[in-house]
Each structure stands twice: as C-alpha cells, then as structure tokens.
Amino acid sequence: MPTISDEDILYAVSQRSRQDAEYRRQLDRAIKRKDEDDIARLVRKAVKKILGIIVDVTFDIIEILLGGRGRS
C-alpha cells in the first residue's frame, strides 16, 4: 500500500465531507459513537474516492478525528 501523509488523508476526508452530505452524516455518527472501525472504514472510503488509492488507517488519524492530537 502506498504511504501518504496524515495531512493527505485528512484532506481527502474533508473533501469527501464537502461533496457528500450522507458521507458527512455517517462520519459524524461514527465519531459521536467513537466507533473506531466505522471511522476507519469511512476514512478508507474517502481516500479511495478522492485520491484513488487504498490506505491503512492508523490510530493517529482516528485520534485526530475523535478530537485528540494523535501520536507525535
């Protein structure tokens, strides 16, 4: 799998959220439930749609989306 930066992944999530209201609702629900598996699935979906690649979603990305800072 290609290696891309956390910023690229967050960019894809942001772009996907702007394009698709249902995606944004699903992501918001997953974040409110703190459902890490669902968040990871939705992030992978966004990256594939926006950037055209398949990625692994790290704990850092999930923590950022849950409002944490992620690991340094």
Coordinates of all heavy atoms in Angstrom, one line a residue:
M1 N 0.8 -1.2 0.0 CA 0.0 0.0 0.0 C 0.9 1.2 0.0 O 1.9 1.3 0.7 CB -0.9 0.0 1.2 CG -2.2 -0.8 1.1 SD -3.3 -0.6 2.4 CE -4.0 -2.1 2.4
P2 N 0.4 2.3 -0.7 CA 1.2 3.5 -0.7 C 1.3 4.2 0.6 O 0.3 4.0 1.4 CB 0.5 4.4 -1.8 CG -0.8 3.8 -2.0 CD -0.7 2.4 -1.5
T3 N 2.3 4.9 0.9 CA 2.4 5.7 2.1 C 2.1 7.1 1.7 O 2.7 7.7 0.8 CB 3.9 5.6 2.6 OG1 4.2 4.2 2.9 CG2 4.0 6.4 3.9
I4 N 1.1 7.7 2.4 CA 0.8 9.1 2.3 C 0.7 9.7 3.7 O 0.6 9.0 4.7 CB -0.5 9.3 1.5 CG1 -1.7 8.7 2.2 CG2 -0.4 8.7 0.1 CD1 -3.1 9.1 1.6
S5 N 0.8 11.0 3.7 CA 0.8 11.7 5.0 C -0.5 11.8 5.6 O -1.6 11.7 4.9 CB 1.4 13.1 4.8 OG 0.4 13.9 4.1
D6 N -0.5 12.0 6.9 CA -1.8 12.2 7.7 C -2.5 13.4 7.1 O -3.8 13.4 7.0 CB -1.5 12.5 9.1 CG -1.0 11.3 9.9 OD1 -1.0 10.2 9.3 OD2 -0.7 11.4 11.1
E7 N -1.8 14.4 6.7 CA -2.5 15.6 6.1 C -3.2 15.3 4.8 O -4.3 15.8 4.5 CB -1.4 16.7 5.8 CG -0.9 17.3 7.1 CD 0.2 16.5 7.7 OE1 0.9 15.7 7.0 OE2 0.5 16.7 8.9
D8 N -2.6 14.4 4.0 CA -3.3 14.0 2.7 C -4.6 13.2 3.0 O -5.6 13.4 2.4 CB -2.4 13.1 1.9 CG -1.2 13.9 1.3 OD1 -1.3 15.1 1.1 OD2 -0.2 13.2 1.0
I9 N -4.5 12.4 4.1 CA -5.7 11.6 4.4 C -6.8 12.5 5.0 O -7.9 12.4 4.6 CB -5.3 10.5 5.5 CG1 -4.4 9.4 4.8 CG2 -6.6 9.9 6.1 CD1 -3.8 8.4 5.8
L10 N -6.4 13.4 5.8 CA -7.4 14.4 6.4 C -8.0 15.3 5.3 O -9.1 15.6 5.3 CB -6.8 15.2 7.5 CG -6.4 14.4 8.7 CD1 -5.6 15.2 9.7 CD2 -7.6 13.8 9.4
Y11 N -7.1 15.6 4.3 CA -7.6 16.4 3.1 C -8.7 15.6 2.4 O -9.8 16.2 2.1 CB -6.5 16.7 2.2 CG -6.9 17.2 0.9 CD1 -7.3 18.6 0.7 CD2 -7.0 16.4 -0.2 CE1 -7.7 19.1 -0.5 CE2 -7.4 16.9 -1.5 CZ -7.8 18.2 -1.6 OH -8.2 18.7 -2.8
A12 N -8.5 14.3 2.2 CA -9.4 13.5 1.5 C -10.7 13.4 2.2 O -11.8 13.5 1.7 CB -8.9 12.1 1.2
V13 N -10.7 13.3 3.5 CA -11.9 13.2 4.4 C -12.6 14.5 4.3 O -13.8 14.5 4.1 CB -11.5 12.8 5.8 CG1 -12.7 13.0 6.8 CG2 -11.0 11.4 5.9
S14 N -11.9 15.6 4.4 CA -12.5 16.9 4.3 C -13.2 17.1 2.9 O -14.4 17.6 2.9 CB -11.5 18.0 4.5 OG -12.0 19.3 4.3
Q15 N -12.5 16.8 1.9 CA -13.1 16.9 0.5 C -14.3 16.1 0.4 O -15.4 16.5 -0.2 CB -12.1 16.6 -0.5 CG -11.0 17.6 -0.7 CD -11.6 19.0 -1.1 OE1 -11.6 19.9 -0.3 NE2 -12.0 19.1 -2.3
R16 N -14.3 14.8 0.8 CA -15.4 13.9 0.7 C -16.6 14.4 1.5 O -17.7 14.3 1.0 CB -15.0 12.5 1.2 CG -16.0 11.5 1.0 CD -16.2 11.1 -0.4 NE -17.2 10.0 -0.5 CZ -18.2 10.0 -1.4 NH1 -18.3 10.9 -2.3 NH2 -19.0 9.0 -1.4
S17 N -16.3 15.0 2.7 CA -17.4 15.5 3.5 C -18.1 16.7 2.8 O -19.3 16.9 2.9 CB -16.8 16.0 4.9 OG -16.4 14.8 5.6
R18 N -17.3 17.5 2.1 CA -17.9 18.6 1.4 C -18.7 18.2 0.2 O -19.7 18.8 -0.2 CB -16.8 19.5 0.9 CG -16.1 20.3 2.0 CD -15.1 21.3 1.5 NE -14.5 21.9 2.6 CZ -13.2 22.4 2.6 NH1 -12.5 22.2 1.5 NH2 -12.7 22.9 3.6
Q19 N -18.3 17.1 -0.4 CA -19.0 16.6 -1.6 C -20.3 15.8 -1.3 O -21.2 15.8 -2.1 CB -18.1 15.7 -2.4 CG -16.9 16.4 -3.1 CD -16.0 15.4 -3.8 OE1 -16.3 14.2 -3.8 NE2 -14.9 15.9 -4.3
D20 N -20.3 15.2 -0.2 CA -21.4 14.2 0.0 C -22.0 14.3 1.5 O -21.3 14.0 2.4 CB -20.8 12.8 -0.2 CG -21.9 11.7 -0.1 OD1 -23.0 11.9 0.5 OD2 -21.5 10.6 -0.5
A21 N -23.2 14.8 1.5 CA -23.8 15.1 2.9 C -24.1 13.8 3.6 O -23.9 13.7 4.8 CB -25.1 15.8 2.7
E22 N -24.4 12.7 2.9 CA -24.7 11.4 3.6 C -23.4 10.9 4.2 O -23.4 10.4 5.3 CB -25.3 10.4 2.6 CG -25.5 9.1 3.3 CD -26.4 9.1 4.5 OE1 -27.3 10.0 4.6 OE2 -26.3 8.2 5.4
Y23 N -22.3 11.0 3.5 CA -21.0 10.6 4.0 C -20.7 11.4 5.3 O -20.2 10.8 6.3 CB -19.9 10.8 2.9 CG -18.5 10.6 3.5 CD1 -17.9 9.3 3.5 CD2 -17.7 11.6 4.0 CE1 -16.7 9.0 4.1 CE2 -16.5 11.4 4.6 CZ -16.0 10.1 4.6 OH -14.7 9.8 5.1
R24 N -20.9 12.7 5.2 CA -20.6 13.6 6.4 C -21.5 13.1 7.6 O -21.0 13.0 8.7 CB -20.9 15.0 6.0 CG -20.5 16.0 7.1 CD -20.7 17.5 6.7 NE -21.9 17.8 6.0 CZ -22.0 18.0 4.7 NH1 -21.0 17.9 3.9 NH2 -23.2 18.3 4.2
R25 N -22.7 12.8 7.3 CA -23.6 12.3 8.4 C -23.1 11.0 9.0 O -23.1 10.8 10.2 CB -25.0 12.2 8.0 CG -25.8 13.5 7.9 CD -27.3 13.3 7.6 NE -27.5 12.8 6.3 CZ -27.7 13.5 5.2 NH1 -27.6 14.8 5.3 NH2 -28.0 13.0 4.0
Q26 N -22.7 10.1 8.1 CA -22.2 8.8 8.6 C -20.9 9.0 9.4 O -20.7 8.4 10.5 CB -21.9 7.9 7.4 CG -23.1 7.4 6.7 CD -22.7 6.6 5.5 OE1 -21.6 6.3 5.2 NE2 -23.8 6.2 4.7
L27 N -20.0 9.9 9.0 CA -18.8 10.1 9.7 C -19.1 10.8 11.0 O -18.5 10.4 12.1 CB -17.8 11.0 8.9 CG -16.5 11.2 9.5 CD1 -15.7 9.9 9.7 CD2 -15.6 12.2 8.6
D28 N -20.0 11.7 11.0 CA -20.3 12.4 12.3 C -20.9 11.4 13.3 O -20.6 11.4 14.5 CB -21.4 13.5 12.1 CG -20.8 14.7 11.4 OD1 -19.5 14.9 11.4 OD2 -21.5 15.6 10.9
R29 N -21.8 10.5 12.8 CA -22.3 9.5 13.7 C -21.3 8.6 14.3 O -21.3 8.2 15.5 CB -23.4 8.7 13.0 CG -24.8 9.4 12.9 CD -25.9 8.4 12.4 NE -25.6 7.9 11.1 CZ -26.1 8.4 10.0 NH1 -26.9 9.4 10.0 NH2 -25.9 7.8 8.8
A30 N -20.4 8.1 13.4 CA -19.3 7.2 13.9 C -18.4 7.9 14.9 O -18.0 7.3 15.9 CB -18.4 6.8 12.7
I31 N -18.1 9.2 14.7 CA -17.3 10.0 15.6 C -18.0 10.1 17.0 O -17.4 9.9 18.0 CB -16.9 11.3 15.0 CG1 -15.9 11.1 13.9 CG2 -16.3 12.2 16.1 CD1 -15.6 12.3 13.1
K32 N -19.3 10.4 16.9 CA -20.1 10.6 18.2 C -20.1 9.2 18.9 O -20.1 9.2 20.2 CB -21.5 11.0 17.9 CG -21.5 12.5 17.5 CD -22.9 12.9 17.1 CE -22.9 14.4 16.6 NZ -24.2 14.8 16.1
R33 N -20.2 8.1 18.2 CA -20.2 6.8 18.9 C -18.8 6.3 19.2 O -18.7 5.3 19.9 CB -20.9 5.8 17.9 CG -22.3 5.9 17.7 CD -22.9 4.7 17.0 NE -22.1 4.2 15.9 CZ -22.1 4.5 14.6 NH1 -23.0 5.4 14.2 NH2 -21.3 3.9 13.7
K34 N -17.8 7.0 18.8 CA -16.4 6.6 18.9 C -16.2 5.2 18.4 O -15.4 4.4 19.0 CB -16.0 6.8 20.4 CG -16.1 8.2 20.9 CD -15.6 8.3 22.3 CE -15.7 9.8 22.7 NZ -15.2 10.1 23.9
D35 N -16.8 5.0 17.3 CA -16.7 3.7 16.6 C -15.5 3.7 15.7 O -15.5 4.1 14.5 CB -18.0 3.4 15.8 CG -18.0 2.0 15.2 OD1 -16.9 1.4 14.9 OD2 -19.1 1.6 14.9
E36 N -14.4 3.2 16.2 CA -13.1 3.3 15.5 C -13.1 2.5 14.2 O -12.5 2.9 13.2 CB -11.9 2.8 16.4 CG -11.7 3.8 17.6 CD -10.6 3.4 18.5 OE1 -9.9 2.4 18.2 OE2 -10.4 4.1 19.5
D37 N -13.8 1.3 14.2 CA -13.8 0.5 13.0 C -14.6 1.3 11.9 O -14.2 1.3 10.7 CB -14.5 -0.8 13.3 CG -13.6 -1.7 14.1 OD1 -12.4 -1.6 14.1 OD2 -14.2 -2.6 14.8
D38 N -15.7 1.9 12.3 CA -16.5 2.6 11.3 C -15.8 3.8 10.8 O -15.8 4.2 9.6 CB -17.9 3.0 11.9 CG -19.0 3.1 10.9 OD1 -18.8 2.6 9.8 OD2 -20.0 3.7 11.2
I39 N -15.1 4.5 11.7 CA -14.3 5.7 11.3 C -13.3 5.3 10.3 O -13.1 5.9 9.2 CB -13.7 6.4 12.5 CG1 -14.8 7.0 13.4 CG2 -12.7 7.4 12.0 CD1 -14.2 7.5 14.8
A40 N -12.6 4.2 10.6 CA -11.5 3.7 9.7 C -12.1 3.4 8.3 O -11.5 3.7 7.3 CB -10.8 2.5 10.3
R41 N -13.2 2.7 8.3 CA -13.9 2.3 7.0 C -14.2 3.6 6.2 O -14.0 3.6 5.0 CB -15.2 1.5 7.3 CG -15.9 1.1 6.1 CD -17.2 0.4 6.4 NE -18.2 1.2 7.2 CZ -19.0 2.2 6.6 NH1 -18.9 2.4 5.3 NH2 -19.8 2.9 7.3
L42 N -14.8 4.6 6.9 CA -15.2 5.8 6.2 C -14.0 6.6 5.7 O -14.0 7.2 4.6 CB -16.1 6.6 7.1 CG -17.5 6.0 7.3 CD1 -18.2 6.7 8.5 CD2 -18.3 6.2 6.1
V43 N -12.9 6.6 6.5 CA -11.7 7.2 6.0 C -11.1 6.5 4.8 O -10.8 7.2 3.8 CB -10.7 7.3 7.2 CG1 -9.3 7.8 6.6 CG2 -11.1 8.2 8.3
R44 N -11.1 5.2 4.8 CA -10.6 4.5 3.6 C -11.4 4.8 2.4 O -10.9 5.0 1.3 CB -10.6 3.0 3.9 CG -9.4 2.5 4.8 CD -9.3 1.0 4.8 NE -10.5 0.3 5.4 CZ -10.6 0.1 6.7 NH1 -9.7 0.5 7.6 NH2 -11.7 -0.5 7.1
K45 N -12.7 4.9 2.6 CA -13.7 5.2 1.5 C -13.4 6.5 0.9 O -13.4 6.7 -0.3 CB -15.1 5.1 2.1 CG -16.2 5.3 1.1 CD -17.5 5.1 1.7 CE -18.7 5.3 0.8 NZ -20.0 5.1 1.4
A46 N -13.2 7.5 1.8 CA -12.9 8.9 1.3 C -11.6 8.9 0.5 O -11.5 9.6 -0.5 CB -12.8 9.8 2.5
V47 N -10.5 8.3 1.1 CA -9.2 8.4 0.4 C -9.3 7.7 -0.9 O -8.8 8.2 -1.9 CB -8.1 7.7 1.3 CG1 -6.8 7.6 0.5 CG2 -7.9 8.6 2.6
K48 N -10.0 6.6 -1.0 CA -10.1 5.9 -2.3 C -10.9 6.7 -3.3 O -10.5 6.8 -4.5 CB -10.9 4.5 -2.1 CG -10.9 3.7 -3.4 CD -11.5 2.4 -3.2 CE -11.6 1.6 -4.5 NZ -12.4 0.4 -4.4
K49 N -12.0 7.4 -2.9 CA -12.8 8.2 -3.7 C -12.0 9.5 -4.2 O -12.0 9.8 -5.4 CB -14.1 8.6 -3.0 CG -15.0 9.5 -3.7 CD -15.8 8.8 -4.8 CE -16.8 9.8 -5.4 NZ -17.6 9.2 -6.4
I50 N -11.4 10.2 -3.3 CA -10.7 11.4 -3.6 C -9.3 11.3 -4.2 O -9.0 11.9 -5.2 CB -10.6 12.3 -2.3 CG1 -12.0 12.6 -1.7 CG2 -9.9 13.6 -2.6 CD1 -13.0 13.3 -2.7
L51 N -8.5 10.4 -3.6 CA -7.1 10.2 -4.1 C -6.9 9.0 -5.0 O -5.9 8.9 -5.6 CB -6.2 10.2 -2.8 CG -6.2 11.4 -1.9 CD1 -5.3 11.1 -0.7 CD2 -5.9 12.7 -2.6
G52 N -7.9 8.1 -5.0 CA -7.8 7.0 -5.9 C -6.8 5.9 -5.4 O -6.4 5.1 -6.2
I53 N -6.6 5.9 -4.1 CA -5.7 4.8 -3.6 C -6.3 4.2 -2.3 O -7.1 4.8 -1.7 CB -4.3 5.4 -3.2 CG1 -4.4 6.6 -2.2 CG2 -3.6 5.9 -4.5 CD1 -3.0 7.1 -1.8
I54 N -5.8 3.0 -2.0 CA -6.2 2.3 -0.8 C -5.2 2.5 0.2 O -4.0 2.3 -0.1 CB -6.5 0.8 -1.1 CG1 -7.6 0.7 -2.2 CG2 -6.8 0.1 0.1 CD1 -7.8 -0.7 -2.7
V55 N -5.6 2.8 1.5 CA -4.6 3.0 2.5 C -5.0 2.3 3.8 O -6.2 2.0 4.0 CB -4.4 4.6 2.9 CG1 -3.8 5.3 1.7 CG2 -5.7 5.2 3.3
D56 N -4.1 2.1 4.7 CA -4.4 1.7 6.0 C -4.6 2.9 6.8 O -4.0 3.9 6.6 CB -3.2 0.9 6.6 CG -3.1 -0.5 6.1 OD1 -4.1 -1.1 5.8 OD2 -1.9 -1.0 6.0
V57 N -5.6 2.8 7.7 CA -5.9 4.0 8.6 C -5.2 3.7 9.9 O -5.5 2.7 10.6 CB -7.4 4.2 8.7 CG1 -7.7 5.3 9.7 CG2 -8.1 4.4 7.4
T58 N -4.4 4.6 10.3 CA -3.6 4.5 11.6 C -4.4 5.0 12.8 O -5.4 5.8 12.6 CB -2.3 5.2 11.5 OG1 -2.5 6.6 11.4 CG2 -1.4 4.8 10.4
F59 N -4.0 4.6 13.9 CA -4.6 5.1 15.2 C -4.5 6.6 15.3 O -5.4 7.3 15.8 CB -3.9 4.5 16.4 CG -4.4 4.9 17.7 CD1 -5.6 4.4 18.2 CD2 -3.7 5.8 18.5 CE1 -6.1 4.8 19.4 CE2 -4.2 6.2 19.7 CZ -5.4 5.7 20.2
D60 N -3.4 7.2 14.7 CA -3.2 8.7 14.8 C -4.4 9.4 14.1 O -4.9 10.4 14.6 CB -1.9 9.1 14.1 CG -0.7 8.6 14.8 OD1 -0.8 8.3 16.0 OD2 0.4 8.6 14.3
I61 N -4.8 8.9 12.9 CA -5.9 9.5 12.2 C -7.2 9.4 12.9 O -7.9 10.4 13.1 CB -6.0 8.9 10.8 CG1 -4.8 9.2 9.9 CG2 -7.3 9.4 10.1 CD1 -4.6 10.6 9.6
I62 N -7.4 8.3 13.5 CA -8.7 8.1 14.3 C -8.7 9.0 15.5 O -9.7 9.6 15.7 CB -8.8 6.6 14.7 CG1 -9.1 5.7 13.4 CG2 -10.0 6.4 15.7 CD1 -9.0 4.3 13.7
E63 N -7.5 9.1 16.2 CA -7.5 10.0 17.3 C -7.7 11.5 16.9 O -8.4 12.2 17.6 CB -6.1 9.9 18.0 CG -6.0 8.7 18.9 CD -6.9 8.8 20.1 OE1 -6.9 9.7 20.8 OE2 -7.8 7.9 20.2
I64 N -7.1 11.9 15.8 CA -7.3 13.3 15.3 C -8.8 13.5 15.0 O -9.4 14.5 15.4 CB -6.5 13.5 14.0 CG1 -5.0 13.6 14.4 CG2 -6.9 14.8 13.4 CD1 -4.1 13.5 13.2
L65 N -9.5 12.6 14.4 CA -10.9 12.7 14.1 C -11.8 12.7 15.3 O -12.8 13.3 15.4 CB -11.4 11.7 13.1 CG -10.8 11.8 11.7 CD1 -11.1 10.6 10.8 CD2 -11.3 13.1 11.0
L66 N -11.3 12.0 16.3 CA -12.0 11.9 17.6 C -11.7 13.1 18.5 O -12.3 13.2 19.6 CB -11.7 10.6 18.4 CG -12.3 9.4 17.8 CD1 -11.8 8.1 18.5 CD2 -13.8 9.4 17.9
G67 N -10.9 14.0 18.0 CA -10.6 15.2 18.8 C -9.3 15.2 19.5 O -9.0 16.2 20.2
G68 N -8.6 14.1 19.5 CA -7.3 14.0 20.1 C -6.2 14.6 19.2 O -6.5 15.0 18.1
R69 N -5.0 14.6 19.7 CA -3.9 15.2 18.9 C -3.2 14.1 18.1 O -2.4 14.4 17.2 CB -2.9 15.8 19.8 CG -3.5 17.0 20.5 CD -2.5 17.7 21.3 NE -1.4 16.9 21.8 CZ -0.7 17.2 22.8 NH1 -0.8 18.3 23.4 NH2 0.3 16.4 23.2
G70 N -3.4 12.8 18.3 CA -2.7 11.8 17.7 C -1.3 11.7 18.3 O -0.9 12.4 19.2
R71 N -0.6 10.7 17.9 CA 0.8 10.5 18.5 C 1.8 11.4 17.8 O 1.7 11.7 16.6 CB 1.2 9.1 18.2 CG 0.5 8.1 19.1 CD 1.0 6.7 18.9 NE -0.2 5.9 18.6 CZ -0.1 4.6 18.2 NH1 1.0 4.1 18.0 NH2 -1.2 4.0 18.0
S72 N 2.7 11.9 18.5 CA 3.8 12.7 17.9 C 4.9 11.9 17.4 O 5.3 10.9 17.9 CB 4.2 13.7 18.9 OG 3.2 14.5 19.3

